[in-house]
């Protein structure tokens, strides 16, 4: 029983030490691609697509990290209609900034 609690305690200590604190978070501004609509690249609601972009640094100044939100699939007309009124299907419901931290951080000591 003690072994179980010790393992749990070690797990918690490791998890807490790996946490990203608010001082390690970058607020990244949204980029909305209004000109993409004319080319047929649109969200579910017909509006322009959007992304959050943070420049690389150091040796990776020309590199990009693309973080695609998971679970973005709809397979029924009702599901797609629902998503078109939320941030999973419309850029107009996205926040103006996203919080990048951990492996998406621009802090070179956190993300070499």
């Amino acid at each position: 029983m003690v072994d179980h609690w010790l393992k749990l305690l070690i797990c918690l200590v490791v998890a807490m030490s790996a946490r990203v604190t608010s001082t390690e978070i970058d607020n990244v501004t949204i980029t909305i691609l209004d000109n993409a609509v004319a080319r047929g690249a649109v969200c579910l609601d017909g509006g322009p697509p959007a992304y959050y972009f943070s420049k690389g640094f150091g040796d990776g100044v020309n590199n990009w990290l693309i973080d695609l939100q998971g679970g973005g699939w709809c397979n029924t007309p009702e599901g797609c209609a629902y998503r078109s009124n939320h941030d999973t299907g419309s850029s107009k419901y996205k926040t103006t900034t996203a919080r990048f931290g951990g492996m998406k951080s621009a802090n070179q000591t956190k993300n070499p």
Side-chain angles (χ1 to χ4, degrees), residues 26-32 50-53 87 90-100:
D26 302 319
N27 288 316
V28 179
T29 306
I30 194 169
T31 299
I32 298 177
Y51 64 92
Y52 302 96
F53 172 73
D87 67 344
S90 174
S91 59
K92 70 181 174 184
Y93 298 108
K94 296 267 186 210
T95 59
T96 56
T97 59
R99 295 170 52 94
F100 279 19

Side-chain angles (χ1 to χ4, degrees), residues 4-108:
H4 171 74
W5 287 109
L6 182 59
K7 287 178 184 176
L8 180 60
L9 178 62
I10 291 170
C11 183
L12 286 172
V13 168
V14 169
M16 292 301 288
S17 66
R19 260 188 28 208
V20 176
T21 65
S22 61
T23 60
E24 298 168 359
I25 299 291
D26 302 319
N27 288 316
V28 179
T29 306
I30 194 169
T31 299
I32 298 177
L33 302 174
D34 290 313
N35 61 349
V37 175
R39 296 179 178 180
V42 297
C43 293
L44 285 173
D45 67 348
Y51 64 92
Y52 302 96
F53 172 73
S54 180
K55 290 184 178 183
F57 52 85
D59 291 340
V61 71
N62 295 316
N63 294 341
W64 290 23
L65 171 66
I66 300 172
D67 182 36
L68 301 174
Q69 180 181 358
W73 183 260
C74 59
N75 56 7
T76 66
E78 297 80 15
C80 291
Y82 175 82
R83 286 181 177 275
S84 70
N85 291 305
H86 295 83
D87 67 344
T88 56
S90 174
S91 59
K92 70 181 174 184
Y93 298 108
K94 296 267 186 210
T95 59
T96 56
T97 59
R99 295 170 52 94
F100 279 19
M103 70 180 238
K104 295 186 282 183
S105 177
N107 180 335
Q108 195 165 7

